[in-house]
Amino acid sequence: MIKKINILLVLLLSLLPCNILAYSNYVIASGDNIGIRLNTDGIIIIGTYDIEGTDPATSAGLKVGDKIISIDGKKVTSIEGISSFLSRNSKDTVSIGYVRNGKEFKTNLTLKNKKTGLYLKDTISGIGTLTFVDPNTKRFGALGHEIVDSISGKIVESKEGTIFSSSITSITRSSDGNPGEKNATFNTSDILGQIEKNTNKGIFGEFKSTIGKNNLYKVANIEDIKLGDAKIRTVINGNKVEEYQIKIVKIKETKDNTKNLIFEIMDDTLLEKTGGIIQGMSGSPIIQDEYIVGAVTHVVVDDPTRGYGILITNMLEEAENSRE
């Protein structure tokens, strides 16, 4: 009887779904400033222009925010691909396949001197902060929120891109109602990692650079976090990561697992230099005692001394789920 029960238990356990995630109990809390280049899933129309008094793109029904995916039935994935096609094309009219609001359409575009009348982009670039690197899985997470296309206001659909080294050259300070920003130079040849996913919890992928052993912190669960003193790690000059004092004033679970923390900057040096939370600070890891507890994500616009953060466990789970 005992053997039968044991066998039954083993069979039941084998049928249960396994949701155990592979992230480590300790990860490296970074704070490094990074450049980001994300390849868009399609070529995005960002504007149109007149050619000899006509607007061929508007006449074809194309709009800003549409994504071009094919020409004359041939898939195109880059602006270079479109240019190459047009240089070989001898026709005055081409068929354009495009996506709008998730649906595919086709239209005929009349060219003028082999010109389309379209302003296009196939990559999105910016800066942010590297939150963590898992030394065991080599997964990284940054930003703590999604990258959104400034034209359409929608999350950029992409499964590839890179993060690379970046250096802060100056700071535009925040003021009430006007978030400031980090100004930086990029070194696109110094690739740190490959982006595999852009989600509402950040950008994630495989870290390709050397992984140091400094700044290893224990991963905090929500019950490990308490109200009160903490610090953030970020760069506001050159490449130097520094720590600044904050106070966690609220901890909460949310439906979308974002904006779990509300904090206030208490560090006079940071306030003097930045005026509060600034653009480019997203992803700065939040540290409390021996734990990494989360990352900076958003500023409270009418009070830049206060900001939101995401729980580190939510980012780590997303990093594992984004594994290809």
Side-chain angles (χ1 to χ4, degrees):
M1 187 67 177
I2 293 175
K3 287 183 179 180
K4 287 183 179 179
I5 292 173
N6 286 340
I7 291 170
L8 182 59
L9 285 174
V10 170
L11 287 172
L12 285 173
L13 288 171
S14 67
L15 293 172
L16 292 174
C18 182
N19 294 319
I20 297 173
L21 294 167
Y23 67 75
S24 304
N25 291 325
Y26 288 82
V27 298
I28 295 165
S30 177
D32 287 307
N33 199 75
I34 53 172
I36 300 165
R37 177 172 290 165
L38 199 62
N39 299 330
T40 61
D41 184 14
I43 304 156
I44 301 173
I45 299 174
I46 60 174
T48 64
Y49 61 92
D50 287 353
I51 306 171
E52 298 177 357
T54 65
D55 185 343
T58 300
S59 297
L62 295 169
K63 295 181 179 181
V64 170
D66 290 345
K67 291 192 297 184
I68 296 176
I69 56 175
S70 67
I71 299 182
D72 279 356
K74 296 180 180 179
K75 183 179 179 181
V76 287
T77 58
S78 67
I79 295 173
E80 183 180 354
I82 289 181
S83 298
S84 177
F85 177 89
L86 293 177
S87 67
R88 302 189 309 269
N89 175 66
S90 58
K91 298 186 297 184
D92 293 329
T93 301
V94 294
S95 173
I96 300 291
Y98 64 99
V99 175
R100 180 185 297 166
N101 297 325
K103 296 181 180 180
E104 293 189 14
F105 301 91
K106 285 187 178 180
T107 188
N108 291 323
L109 176 67
T110 300
L111 305 175
K112 294 287 185 178
N113 300 322
K114 291 196 174 185
K115 294 181 179 179
T116 62
L118 294 168
Y119 292 116
L120 305 168
K121 69 176 178 182
D122 56 9
T123 61
I124 291 177
S125 299
I127 65 169
T129 302
L130 181 64
T131 306
F132 69 85
V133 178
D134 187 324
N136 293 330
T137 66
K138 296 186 178 179
R139 307 298 292 167
F140 77 83
L143 294 186
H145 61 70
E146 68 271 40
I147 296 175
V148 173
D149 177 57
S150 60
I151 303 296
S152 67
K154 297 179 180 179
I155 187 169
V156 177
E157 296 179 11
S158 175
K159 289 187 176 180
E160 60 179 31
T162 56
I163 59 171
F164 41 87
S165 61
S166 173
S167 180
I168 301 301
T169 56
S170 64
I171 297 292
T172 302
R173 297 181 79 255
S174 282
S175 58
D176 290 355
N178 294 292
E181 63 181 335
K182 296 181 181 185
N183 305 303
T185 58
F186 298 149
N187 182 1
T188 55
S189 62
D190 184 17
I191 293 175
L192 304 176
Q194 297 293 137
I195 300 170
E196 295 171 2
K197 200 167 185 182
N198 173 35
T199 81
N200 69 333
K201 298 176 184 65
I203 56 173
F204 304 94
E206 184 177 358
F207 199 71
K208 298 289 188 178
S209 187
T210 302
I211 300 175
K213 301 222 177 185
N214 295 329
N215 306 311
L216 201 62
Y217 284 88
K218 189 175 183 180
V219 173
N221 293 308
I222 192 168
E223 59 269 19
D224 297 317
I225 309 168
K226 57 184 183 288
L227 299 179
D229 292 343
K231 57 190 177 182
I232 62 172
R233 291 174 54 82
T234 199
V235 176
I236 59 173
N237 184 38
N239 298 302
K240 186 178 180 182
V241 178
E242 297 183 275
E243 296 181 346
Y244 300 97
Q245 293 300 312
I246 65 169
K247 181 181 286 186
I248 298 174
V249 298
K250 192 170 184 178
I251 307 164
K252 59 180 180 177
E253 300 220 34
T254 59
K255 288 183 179 179
D256 61 357
N257 293 326
T258 65
K259 291 187 176 181
N260 309 113
L261 306 171
I262 300 176
F263 64 90
E264 182 178 357
I265 294 178
M266 308 301 294
D267 197 289
D268 291 336
T269 299
L270 186 60
L271 289 172
E272 181 181 349
K273 291 182 178 180
T274 67
I277 306 298
I278 56 176
Q279 296 176 71
M281 203 176 279
S282 294
S284 300
I286 301 172
I287 306 298
Q288 189 175 66
D289 301 325
E290 75 270 28
Y291 293 103
I292 176 171
V293 303
V296 176
T297 60
H298 298 81
V299 61
V300 177
V301 178
D302 58 358
D303 182 4
T305 66
R306 293 166 69 89
Y308 295 96
I310 183 174
L311 293 176
I312 191 63
T313 47
N314 291 337
M315 288 189 72
L316 285 163
E317 287 173 9
E318 194 74 9
E320 285 304 311
N321 290 334
S322 69
R323 189 189 292 268
E324 292 185 331

